[in-house]
Amino acid sequence: MKVRVGATTDVGVAREQNEDAYLVRAPIYAVADGMGGHQGGEVASQLALEVLDRMSREDHELDLRSAVRDANRQVLERASGDSSLSGMGTTLTLLRVEGPRVRLAHVGDSRAYLLRDDELRQLTDDHTLVNRMVQEGKLTENEAKIHPHRSILTRALGVDGDIEVDIFTVDLDAGDRILLCSDGLTSIVSDDEIRTVLSSQADPQEACDELVSAANRGGGPDNITVVVLDIDEGEEDEDGPPPEEPIPSPEERPREAAPRARWPRRVFLWVLVPLVLVIGGLLVARAYIGSQWFVGIHDGNVALFRGLPAEIAGFDLYTLVERTDLSAARAVALQPYRDLEDGITADGEDDAREVIEQIEEDLERSLTP
Ligand code: CA
């Protein structure tokens, strides 16, 4: 079978960084959606795809299950060697074209779809908490779509040394179209709209771009990545199509804001702010700061703090109240808490304690097999 491919990744409207990545290097195609504070998500998704890209070039008969497990181990290793990356993880939905069929490997909530005879079929199962609750009959499909914790994953690369990988094979027909995508598309654009775009837009690249536009029109709250493969009758060239840029290069990725000029900010922080605080309103500021609460990280665990999650001129504006026994790395792996390191602010102590209870509950649910 011959394959024509289109691929797009987009930061979306609301996010500043793109933590998604894709791989397009015949016969391997994949999307990965990273998570974790700071640069973690970006590192995890890129690393997983780089590992798989390298292994598949070295061994064309690569066993996909053990390859994904290797990638998982490498993500874990990188995270354990660098505290700023701890808690990072990534989804992975990968396929390899093998003559008249494709073999898929899947972990997480990115998806693969097959469009055949104008009908769209989801090939992968989402490894999410809400999908499991739907399968257990505890939630309806419609309740799942608006559930506040719908993005919590039950499986991802980078979480555990043992990883369960869905592996399956789909027989191809000429005229089939396969879509790989991250949840930035499917959480916004309905299956019906996806089907309409895929059935009406003949060019795979234009189909990708149109799907990304649809997600951005819907608010673009998350990074969006789509890969479209068109399967046609005929022989794939021995070498495959010309090597395409497999993973978006740094130049294509959204840039960080240029570092601000250093010294005026320093002067501001070291001189002006303490002056204002000391002379102007030390007591007011202290009373205000003392009334604030937030949930953050202390010594690797989720912790309760009083004050503001910030420092001025080297002085912390907070005090530790209580260190829980909940692992911060595991909490950060859950999407609602990915910014835990920056502090989740709360309206008072009760509110902060409720956040901690919610984290505890979500951690338990995300682990129950
Ligand atoms: Ca996502």
Side-chain angles (χ1 to χ4, degrees), residues 77-117:
E77 266 166 38
R78 176 78 70 85
S80 68
D82 181 342
S83 64
S84 75
L85 299 177
S86 106
M88 73 174 179
T90 183
T91 72
L92 175 74
T93 301
L94 173 144
L95 70 79
R96 179 169 61 200
V97 179
E98 300 177 349
R101 59 187 68 88
V102 284
R103 195 152 172 78
L104 283 107
H106 167 70
V107 176
D109 67 349
S110 300
R111 290 181 181 174
Y113 286 90
L114 171 66
L115 181 82
R116 178 178 290 170
D117 302 328

Side-chain angles (χ1 to χ4, degrees), residues 74-213:
Q74 297 209 30
V75 173
L76 272 171
E77 266 166 38
R78 176 78 70 85
S80 68
D82 181 342
S83 64
S84 75
L85 299 177
S86 106
M88 73 174 179
T90 183
T91 72
L92 175 74
T93 301
L94 173 144
L95 70 79
R96 179 169 61 200
V97 179
E98 300 177 349
R101 59 187 68 88
V102 284
R103 195 152 172 78
L104 283 107
H106 167 70
V107 176
D109 67 349
S110 300
R111 290 181 181 174
Y113 286 90
L114 171 66
L115 181 82
R116 178 178 290 170
D117 302 328
D118 277 351
E119 275 187 34
L120 188 69
R121 180 157 68 95
Q122 187 179 330
L123 299 173
T124 48
D125 272 333
D126 293 346
H127 300 142
T128 57
L129 206 56
V130 292
N131 191 36
R132 190 160 67 200
M133 288 162 81
V134 168
Q135 284 167 350
E136 289 168 355
K138 292 179 186 158
L139 273 187
T140 66
E141 298 256 357
N142 283 334
E143 285 167 339
K145 278 182 192 142
I146 53 166
H147 196 282
H149 301 313
R150 60 189 174 275
S151 52
I152 293 179
L153 300 179
T154 50
R155 286 195 231 166
L157 275 74
V159 176
D160 196 349
D162 266 339
I163 190 168
E164 208 186 323
V165 187
D166 289 353
I167 300 276
F168 53 96
T169 302
V170 176
D171 289 325
L172 295 175
D173 284 347
D176 281 351
R177 180 169 255 193
I178 295 173
L179 167 70
L180 304 179
C181 58
S182 63
D183 71 330
L185 177 74
T186 50
S187 62
I188 299 298
V189 184
S190 70
D191 282 9
D192 217 37
E193 291 171 80
I194 292 174
R195 190 193 62 80
T196 305
V197 172
L198 289 179
S199 326
S200 59
Q201 186 49 263
D203 181 75
Q205 186 58 50
E206 281 173 23
C208 288
D209 295 342
E210 206 170 312
L211 288 171
V212 168
S213 303

Side-chain angles (χ1 to χ4, degrees), residues 15 20 33 182-184 222-223 335 338:
R15 297 264 170 98
D20 284 0
D33 174 355
S182 63
D183 71 330
D222 196 0
N223 309 143
Q335 268 165 331
R338 51 165 64 179

Side-chain angles (χ1 to χ4, degrees), residues 7 28 37 39 56 81 115 126 167 200 223 231-232 261 294 348:
I28 297 265
Q39 306 292 315
S56 73
L115 181 82
D126 293 346
I167 300 276
S200 59
N223 309 143
I231 310 296
D232 281 317
F294 69 95

Side-chain angles (χ1 to χ4, degrees), residues 43-58:
V43 172
S45 58
Q46 291 267 321
L47 176 63
L49 294 190
E50 277 162 18
V51 169
L52 289 158
D53 183 30
R54 192 173 58 240
M55 286 193 293
S56 73
R57 274 182 288 147
E58 283 163 4

